[in-house]
Amino acid sequence: MIEPFAAVEIIATKRDRNELSDAQIDWVISAYTRGVVADEQMSALLMAILLNGMNSREISRWTNAMINSGERMEWSVLDRPTADKHSTGGVGDKITLPLAPLVAACGGAVPQLSGRGLGHTGGTLDKLESIPGWRAELSNEEMLNVLRDCGAVICAAGPGLVPADKKLYALRDVTATIEAIPLIASSIMSKKIAEGTSTLILDVKTGNGAFMSDPVQAGILARTMVELGKSAGVKTRALVTAMDVPLGLTVGNALEVRESVEVLAGGGPSDVVELTLLLAREMIDAAGIVGKDPEVALKDGSAMDVWRRMISAQDGDPDAVLPIAREQHRVLATQSGMMVGMDAMKVGVAAWRLGAGRSRQGEKVQAGAGIELHAKPGDEISSGQLLMTLHTDEAERFPRALEILEGCMIIVAGGTVNRLPLVVERIEA
């Protein structure tokens, strides 16, 4: 077969800040998926896109080309409306775990295709795989059966669903091209459109712990994705939410599962509960679901019941003891005063250095690694007080984690806390 284009020509087009044609985009996605375009060539193109951007036509075409690289799913056989949520990722963002069973308990069907850790943010699949026996890889038939029986399923995208993104997602993680808005938008929306949900709520994080630390850039990303969803006939809304401080009190795989179960049991940190309920109500409203109020479903145990069925349906043991790291290190306050700030990015990178994330494709993560927070901005601190507990299986990881945590927490006498509002912006098509 004679290829109609050469990868080097397409790389040069974007390097020189020119537009890619529809035909060029269709070919390069197809050729990369088929293995005709090599990783190093696609890496160069991704970097050119990060540096020089894409216009709305290019982003839309790139997204459609990715969707067309595989199959599309549809859920018309279900007797309840479908709704999904996607977060752009943040430090301690475990919201998907309690949210999916919660919306199911309220009458929705949640087909949640999730990913693995990307950069300093954790991956939902990595978190759930800390539950003994739990299985991320499901066939389409298995996914439908779990959805039908439980009302919610969280799993990996199958090999037939947007295979182009599966390759690109892993490549972005190791080529410093994660932050490119066209690549984020097309990655997220190609999977969400292909997975067949009728309603999608986007949680776009902003603040120092997010990929889009600038609220203006986060808003641009949110509007780009809402427009892509609207064009594809998916009811799409976006919330730009705060990620200037880690969500909850845990960062790391098994640690975050434990905290999510606390939320489903009617407890858990107030910020995790608040955002879970907020997103649940958006999903229910947008999808036109008529059922139980989310707050009631948390309190009466019905959301927990869905969680237990969902975990069991994917061969996980909801009663199993979660992994605990072999080594711990306590971080104590060296002064008294009010904690007025915490750098979420530094916490995320420290958890990654402890083994909670990966630095190259295919690397195994430590289920028990991560950080427990014992204080957050707004708390009064006494010298010697426990601020954090670091967890890892390898004690030699502590020094590099402690290095990045230097200056992470700001404690001053008589200070005031400056925080982003939980919801910075709301966007609806």
Side-chain angles (χ1 to χ4, degrees):
M1 175 182 173
I2 298 174
E3 301 292 341
F5 297 99
V8 68
E9 297 168 349
I10 292 175
I11 295 165
T13 298
K14 187 49 65 178
R15 178 200 66 194
D16 296 340
R17 301 183 181 181
N18 295 315
E19 289 185 29
L20 298 178
S21 69
D22 289 351
Q24 285 177 315
I25 290 169
D26 291 346
W27 177 81
V28 79
I29 293 295
S30 170
Y32 180 60
T33 306
R34 291 184 281 119
V36 172
V37 172
D39 278 350
E40 59 267 27
Q41 293 174 309
M42 184 55 83
S43 297
L45 180 57
L46 296 181
M47 185 59 73
I49 290 169
L50 179 139
L51 295 173
N52 298 324
M54 282 178 153
N55 62 27
S56 59
R57 178 197 59 79
E58 289 176 292
I59 298 171
S60 179
R61 191 70 179 204
W62 187 277
T63 304
N64 285 331
M66 288 171 64
I67 294 168
N68 292 335
S69 71
E71 63 191 12
R72 291 192 190 214
M73 306 180 82
E74 63 93 33
W75 309 106
S76 59
V77 297
L78 295 173
D79 61 357
R80 51 170 88 184
T82 53
D84 192 9
K85 182 274 302 186
H86 184 87
S87 168
T88 55
V91 180
D93 181 6
K94 72 276 296 172
I95 299 297
T96 291
L97 277 63
L99 180 64
L102 176 58
V103 173
C106 295
V110 186
Q112 175 80 53
L113 297 178
S114 294
R116 303 192 183 279
L118 193 63
H120 71 282
T121 65
T124 298
L125 300 183
D126 295 326
K127 294 168 191 177
L128 285 167
E129 283 180 336
S130 68
I131 300 172
W134 188 86
R135 186 165 55 95
E137 311 292 337
L138 300 180
S139 68
N140 290 353
E141 184 181 3
E142 287 175 316
M143 190 176 175
L144 177 60
N145 288 338
V146 177
L147 255 185
R148 198 183 263 132
D149 295 344
C150 306
V153 61
I154 303 173
C155 63
L161 196 86
V162 199
D165 184 65
K166 209 157 198 172
K167 292 185 74 174
L168 286 170
Y169 191 90
L171 194 61
R172 285 167 55 214
D173 194 17
V174 295
T175 56
T177 54
I178 294 168
E179 293 86 351
I181 285 178
L183 301 178
I184 298 172
S186 59
S187 173
I188 292 169
M189 295 307 294
S190 62
K191 286 177 290 196
K192 294 304 174 184
I193 293 166
E195 83 174 13
T197 187
S198 59
T199 300
L200 177 63
I201 305 300
L202 297 161
D203 182 6
V204 180
K205 300 296 187 189
T206 192
N208 64 52
F211 293 127
M212 293 288 118
S213 58
D214 177 8
V216 174
Q217 290 297 304
I220 292 170
L221 173 61
R223 281 184 283 277
T224 300
M225 292 194 293
V226 167
E227 190 57 42
L228 287 171
K230 180 182 174 183
S231 299
V234 178
K235 285 177 279 187
T236 310
R237 297 178 185 175
L239 300 179
V240 178
T241 67
M243 183 40 67
D244 52 341
V245 167
L247 261 171
L249 298 171
T250 58
V251 182
N253 300 307
L255 293 170
E256 293 190 44
V257 172
R258 186 189 73 198
E259 190 167 85
S260 299
V261 172
E262 290 171 3
V263 172
L264 287 163
S270 59
D271 57 347
V272 177
V273 174
E274 183 181 359
L275 186 54
T276 300
L277 289 172
L278 179 66
L279 290 167
R281 290 187 173 118
E282 286 283 356
M283 291 169 71
I284 288 165
D285 178 64
I289 296 166
V290 179
K292 190 176 292 189
D293 179 76
E295 195 165 1
V296 172
L298 281 183
K299 289 179 178 175
D300 69 7
S302 55
M304 177 68 89
D305 290 343
V306 174
W307 164 265
R308 294 178 61 82
R309 291 202 309 273
M310 184 180 75
I311 296 302
S312 297
Q314 290 171 242
D315 301 333
D317 181 356
D319 296 313
V321 176
L322 293 167
I324 298 172
R326 289 192 291 269
E327 307 287 343
Q328 284 82 40
H329 180 90
R330 291 153 56 90
V331 177
L332 307 179
T334 57
Q335 65 189 92
S336 299
M338 176 180 279
M339 185 185 293
V340 297
M342 176 182 288
D343 190 319
M345 173 68 85
K346 288 186 174 184
V347 176
V349 172
W352 173 63
R353 290 183 176 183
L354 289 167
R358 53 179 58 81
S359 56
R360 60 183 182 272
Q361 294 182 47
E363 187 176 21
K364 188 174 174 60
V365 299
Q366 292 183 26
I371 297 176
E372 282 183 279
L373 304 174
H374 303 288
K376 290 184 77 172
D379 291 347
E380 285 289 343
I381 306 298
S382 300
S383 182
Q385 180 178 331
L386 179 61
L387 298 178
M388 292 181 176
T389 304
L390 312 188
H391 299 258
T392 183
D393 289 334
E394 302 161 308
E396 60 268 24
R397 288 178 176 266
F398 286 133
R400 289 195 72 233
L402 291 167
E403 177 187 29
I404 195 68
L405 288 171
E406 189 69 35
C408 165
M409 293 162 285
I410 302 170
I411 300 171
V412 297
T416 57
V417 180
N418 291 315
R419 286 286 318 273
L420 287 170
L422 178 62
V423 178
V424 178
E425 187 179 0
R426 183 179 180 278
I427 299 149
E428 185 174 354

